[in-house]
Each structure stands twice: as C-alpha cells, then as structure tokens.
Amino acid sequence: MATAPAVPGEHSGEAEAETPGAVIMHHVMDSNEFAFEPFGAVELPRMSIPASVPLLGGLDISITKRVVMIWIVAVALVLIFSIVGSKYKAMGVRQAPSGMANTMEALVEFIRLDVAKANIGHGFEKHTPFLLTVFMFILFCNLFGLIPYGSTATGDINVTLTLSVFSFFVIQIASVRAHGVVGFLKHLTVGTHWALWIIMVPIEIIGLFTKPFALTVRLFANMAAGHIVILSLIFISFIIKSYVAAAVVSVPFATFIYLLEIFVAFLQAFIFTMLTSLFIGLATAHEGGHDEHDTAVAHH
Amino acid sequence: MLTSGVVLLAGSLLTPNPGLIFWTAVTFVIVLVILRKVAWGPIISALEEREKGIQSSIDRAYQAKEESEAILRKNRELLSKADADADRIIREGKEYAEKLRAELTEKAQDESKKMIAAAMDSIEQEKRRALDVLRNEVADLAVKGAEKIIRTALDADMQKKIVNSMIQDLSSKRN
Amino acid sequence: MNGEKRFPEDFGHSVRASSDYIGLGLQVSGGFAFFVFIGYWADSKIGTSPFLLLAGVVVGMVGMALVLMKVVRAANKK
C-alpha cells in the first residue's frame, strides 16, 4: 500500500512527484522487483500457498527483493563453508589452515570460544552450530546489503523478527532442557502464592518474549538507520541541486558512513549472537544469580 | 516531505510481510541444516582436535620437564653420594695409615728395646764369662803360689806373709 | 588484542548483571495491556461494558505490583 510512489516503471525521473523521502524509502523497503537502476528491472514472481493447505493456506509468499537477497546469502554461505569444511576434512591435525579457511577459522573460533563458551559455559557445544549459522547469516546479509543494487535483508523487521523467533525457541528449549519441564513451569510462577498464578504466569510468559524483542528491535533499527543515513547524505546534493555540495559534503560523508556500516555489519552480527548466547547462558544457569555473583567477585 | 517520510517509515518498514517471514524461516533452516553437516561439523571437530593436540603437547612438555628434573635430582644425589663415599674412603685411608704408622713405630720401639735387652744380656754373659775366666786364672795363680810356697819353705810365718801379700795383691789388683 | 578480548567479556558481564531489568518495562506494560485487553474483549463479548475492563485494569495493576515486588526482592537478595 505504501509502495505506491515506487511502482515499477515510475522511476523514470523528476517528471513525477518523486520526493527524495520516497526514493529513500523505496531503497530501504522491500519490493517485488529487482531493480538495476539505469538498466531496468527484473520482475519477481508473485505467488501464494494454495488455500487447500491447512494452517498456511492463502499465505502470500511472493518472491521479493529481500527473499532473493536471502537466497543469494544462503548460496554464498553454503558455497564458502562447504569449501572451507572440505578443506578441514582433508587437512591433518598437524596442518594449519591457509587463505579463506584461516579467515573463517578466526571468526568461527571467536564465536565458539569468546561468545558461546564464555557466555553459555557448560554444554556450549550443542548451541555452537546455531550460533555460528546465525552469526554468518546476519553478517553476510549485512555485507551483501552494502553491495550496490543489493538490499539489506537484516534491515527488515520481518527477517530479524524471524531470526529472533528462532533464538527465542532455542533459548526456551535450552531452559526446559536444563531445568526440566517442572522447573521451567516453576520458574514462571516465581514463588508467588498459588492464587496469584493466574496473574503472574501470563506476565512471566510476556517477560519471556520481551528480552528477545529488545534484541530484534536493536538489530533492525541499526541496519535500517545506517542505510537511511547514507541515502539521505547522497540526496542532500539533489535537494540543494549543487555539485559542490555533492563533492564536499555528500560523497565524503557517505563514504565515511559506508565504512562505518562495514564495521556495524560485524558489530550487529556479533551483538545478536552475543545476546542469544547470553540468554541461553542465563536460561540454563542453575540457581539464577550465582553467575552474577561470580562476575562481581571477579571484578573486585 | 518529512512527514511523508515518517508515514512511509511507519507504514512500510514495520509492515508484517508473511511471505518474507516464511522464506526467511525456510531458508534459514535449510542453511542451518546444510552448514551443520557440511561446515561446522568438520571445522569444529578439527579445531577441537587441534586444541586437544596442543593440550597434549603442553602436557607432554611438562611431563618431559618433570622427568628431566627428576633425572637431574637423581644425578645430584648420586654425585653427592659419590662425594661422600670419596670422603669416607680418604678418611678411612688416613685412619689406616695413622694406625699403621703407630703400629710400625711401636714395633720398631719394641724391636729396639728387644735389641737393647739382647745386647744387655750378651754383655752380661760376656762379663760373667770374663769373671769365670778371671776366677779360674785366680785359682790357678793361687794353686801356683801355694806350690811355690810349699816348694820353698814350710815356714808358717813366711807362709802367712806370703798368702797375705798375695791376697792384698789380688784385691788391690782387682779393684 | 587485549582490548578486543575484553569487550565481549565486559559486554557479557554488564548484560548478565542487568538481565533482570532488560525487558522489565516491556514486560510490565505488556502484562498490563494484556489484562486490559482481556477485560475489553470479555466486555464486548458479554456486554457488561465498563466493568470487566475496569477489572482488567485492577488485575493488571496487581500484576505490575507483583512483578516489581519480585524484582525488588531478587535485587535485595543480592
């Protein structure tokens, strides 16, 4: 509905009332075509699940630009890591990795030890595949979004929401596994009188959602904001209609923000993974609170 | 313009898009399954193996260090024991030599004493023999004197005088 | 290298220390809204217009107080 100013065929130019704001939003938003601006656009198929399928019937599952980006990221991930994985399979214990395998090993070791092991502690091995995949997925989405004509999938609330739902389930399953079903339910009632359970349990269930929700909003806002800032800086020159302004203000600043975004791409992927593993660690910690105590002791 | 941007922001960025959610979920699960099998498995097992390898080589290095230290300690012990042995042997040798010297000195003293005693004995014997010879000589002289007296005259006074002078003679000669 | 190593640790420490409070505002307001909506929905179903809504508001406020009490008690224990 809001995509009205940017329907296909309308990006011909200034003749239309195409405000800079609309153009920026068009770039930041999802769309049903993959535009390569001066050269044209590829219309993406629209489709929906047949109404006969139970539960998901009638769902609009059109392939959008973001979906294509996600697929590109998925293919890139599978290609790169199958090569790296096969290298490791072929490699002896005494050999050190080289080239791409070495770079990826640094990232994998960082996530495995500094993020997963440091925050989850005992039993972190079970969660490393998930954490590694989430990290690489977000990182590659962020980086591919910086390529011209690309679109940052992680700048879309739907994508980050889905990822955080996965995190949410991983966290809750870890919690149930660590405390048992009874312990998990007992945790929801947090030692209040049984007559108050009817009030406490819904609030505690809402509480389970609010932490990952904070995580989602953070990631989404950062990725979307970075792009909006870059595009705004570029559009300053169009608004002022001055090449001097373009050369002096827009290009240097946009370049700076662009470099910043490469850093932010890593940072956001790291923070999402970090928060997920922190929540897993908090959910699986026996006798909540002793971890903080340890930390406090270690600090003083 | 600004308000339109805000409206667009609120209207589009936060619009739920079930198709995108669906595809994200499906793609993510597929990527997770494939990567888990293809990449994370081998990479993590390789890393763990390497960690174990490093740990075991550290352990082995420590073990070797401990072993060499033990050997060194043993060597030192042996050395000090050898030193003590040598000391003891030298001390024993010295003692033996001392004892031997004392024994030899004693023996020599005994020997010299014995020799002196033997010399004394032989001197005594020589003296006694000389006395015997002298006595025989004296007896012979006495017999010869008596013969002489008997032969000359058996005057009693004379005889007395002769015997007395002879005895006087003898005793003065002997002294 | 050292600073880089320390950042995840410090981040982890601070999040762990504040873990009880990260989603607290959302939790409290969400819980309140939940009971108010339940009251509103029940009102529109049964037709007892403002009463169940008001009951929902009261229950929601009790819930808020309980959550805050729990957090304060946990904080005191530490």
Side-chain angles (χ1 to χ4, degrees):
Chain A
M1 37 146 197
T3 47
V7 248
E10 247 191 346
H11 49 76
S12 45
E14 287 77 36
E16 301 288 332
E18 201 169 68
T19 62
V23 175
I24 290 174
M25 287 320 297
H26 170 62
H27 274 88
V28 175
M29 269 162 23
D30 206 358
S31 73
N32 269 315
E33 55 157 23
F34 212 110
F36 298 96
E37 221 113 84
F39 313 112
V42 179
E43 188 76 21
L44 295 166
R46 290 160 189 270
M47 53 168 117
S48 59
I49 298 176
S52 54
V53 178
L55 263 165
L56 293 173
L59 195 72
D60 175 29
I61 51 163
S62 305
I63 313 294
T64 62
K65 198 177 174 187
R66 295 255 154 88
V67 175
V68 174
M69 285 311 293
I70 287 171
W71 284 351
I72 291 171
V73 166
V75 169
L77 278 174
V78 168
L79 270 180
I80 290 174
F81 283 100
S82 55
I83 291 168
V84 173
S86 63
K87 259 188 194 167
Y88 272 90
K89 238 182 232 168
M91 206 169 66
V93 185
R94 286 177 186 280
Q95 275 172 291
S98 59
M100 189 168 66
N102 199 11
T103 316
M104 291 306 164
E105 186 191 306
L107 285 176
V108 170
E109 276 288 72
F110 176 70
I111 296 299
R112 196 171 80 88
L113 298 179
D114 287 334
V115 175
K117 196 179 183 183
N119 292 307
I120 300 175
H122 179 70
F124 74 97
E125 294 91 347
K126 264 183 302 192
H127 300 291
T128 28
F130 174 75
L131 292 172
L132 281 168
T133 313
V134 163
F135 178 78
M136 294 301 173
F137 193 80
I138 294 174
L139 179 64
F140 275 61
C141 279
N142 289 348
L143 291 177
F144 275 60
L146 292 174
I147 297 171
Y149 297 123
S151 159
T152 313
T154 37
D156 193 302
I157 189 84
N158 295 294
V159 175
T160 51
L161 185 78
T162 313
L163 291 177
S164 57
V165 167
F166 277 111
S167 287
F168 176 74
F169 280 117
V170 166
I171 292 163
Q172 300 314 326
I173 288 168
S175 176
V176 171
R177 264 201 199 150
H179 302 292
V181 179
V182 179
F184 182 75
L185 292 177
K186 207 186 243 174
H187 186 70
L188 288 181
T189 60
V190 277
T192 45
H193 192 260
W194 61 267
L196 297 171
W197 286 3
I198 188 85
I199 302 172
M200 270 321 267
V201 171
I203 292 181
E204 285 296 326
I205 289 172
I206 290 168
L208 291 180
F209 286 94
T210 49
K211 280 184 202 175
F213 183 71
L215 189 145
T216 310
V217 168
R218 180 162 312 173
L219 180 62
F220 158 72
N222 277 291
M223 290 326 291
H227 279 56
I228 291 175
V229 168
I230 288 187
L231 290 169
S232 303
L233 284 167
I234 288 172
F235 271 101
I236 284 175
S237 57
F238 287 108
I239 294 165
I240 305 174
K241 290 197 168 63
S242 149
Y243 292 110
V244 179
V248 174
V249 182
S250 298
V251 173
F253 271 93
T255 312
F256 170 69
I257 300 286
Y258 202 86
L259 292 175
L260 194 68
E261 274 219 66
I262 295 175
F263 171 68
V264 169
F266 278 91
L267 192 70
Q268 287 307 311
F270 161 68
I271 284 182
F272 191 97
T273 320
M274 182 82 185
L275 286 174
T276 304
S277 58
L278 269 169
F279 287 139
I280 294 172
L282 285 172
T284 53
H286 290 275
E287 281 140 86
H290 92 108
D291 253 1
E292 288 98 294
H293 182 69
D294 284 354
T295 312
V297 169
H299 254 278
H300 295 296
Chain B
M1 186 184 81
L2 190 68
T3 43
S4 75
V6 170
V7 167
L8 277 167
L9 185 71
S12 59
L13 275 181
L14 297 173
T15 317
N17 181 348
L20 187 50
I21 292 175
F22 172 80
W23 285 121
T24 308
V26 169
T27 314
F28 184 76
V29 169
I30 291 169
V31 169
L32 177 61
V33 169
I34 292 176
L35 286 190
R36 183 183 213 138
K37 195 163 170 51
V38 168
W40 308 142
I43 292 176
I44 287 175
S45 65
L47 291 178
E48 271 170 1
E49 213 145 286
R50 198 188 307 159
E51 261 166 37
K52 256 183 238 155
I54 290 169
Q55 190 58 49
S56 76
S57 20
I58 290 172
D59 287 349
R60 248 181 291 140
Y62 268 103
Q63 213 179 321
K65 198 185 154 212
E66 265 161 31
E67 265 170 27
S68 65
E69 267 171 8
I71 288 170
L72 199 70
R73 222 177 303 129
K74 210 173 160 192
N75 276 350
R76 277 214 192 106
E77 263 167 34
L78 282 177
L79 208 66
S80 63
K81 209 176 152 200
D83 263 356
D85 273 356
D87 272 353
R88 191 172 51 81
I89 288 168
I90 289 170
R91 205 177 52 242
E92 275 176 9
K94 265 187 189 158
E95 272 169 17
Y96 182 69
E98 199 68 30
K99 216 169 97 190
L100 205 65
R101 200 162 63 104
E103 260 171 32
L104 280 177
T105 317
E106 210 180 334
K107 227 184 199 169
Q109 274 174 353
D110 276 3
E111 204 79 4
S112 60
K113 266 183 196 159
K114 242 182 238 167
M115 271 161 77
I116 288 169
M120 290 276 212
D121 265 6
S122 62
I123 288 168
E124 196 68 26
Q125 267 171 7
E126 286 301 313
K127 199 173 110 188
R128 214 170 285 146
R129 213 170 44 216
L131 275 180
D132 279 352
V133 169
L134 193 63
R135 214 170 273 143
N136 285 342
E137 206 84 3
V138 169
D140 276 355
L141 272 177
V143 170
K144 269 174 190 163
E147 212 180 66
K148 215 180 204 178
I149 294 163
I150 291 164
R151 229 171 256 169
T152 50
L154 283 170
D155 184 9
D157 289 341
M158 211 47 194
Q159 276 176 341
K160 248 184 206 170
K161 245 165 116 182
I162 292 164
V163 169
N164 273 344
S165 73
M166 219 166 70
I167 287 168
Q168 200 105 33
D169 229 32
L170 271 175
S171 61
S172 70
K173 225 183 226 174
R174 200 181 160 189
N175 286 336
Chain C
M1 199 65 205
N2 195 25
E4 196 183 317
K5 271 234 147 121
R6 281 189 52 124
F7 173 65
E9 269 171 39
D10 284 349
F11 187 76
H13 289 165
S14 50
V15 173
R16 235 169 282 150
S18 62
S19 65
D20 285 350
Y21 318 109
I22 281 180
L24 190 63
L26 275 174
Q27 190 186 356
V28 167
S29 51
F32 184 69
F34 173 77
F35 287 113
V36 172
F37 269 112
I38 290 279
Y40 180 77
W41 176 78
D43 261 349
S44 67
K45 278 273 162 186
I46 309 170
T48 51
S49 196
F51 299 108
L52 286 178
L53 177 73
L54 290 176
V57 170
V58 170
V59 172
M61 282 164 87
V62 172
M64 265 196 229
L66 285 175
V67 170
L68 291 179
M69 268 165 62
K70 178 200 112 186
V71 170
V72 169
R73 216 187 307 146
N76 275 342
K77 213 180 276 174
K78 279 171 207 163

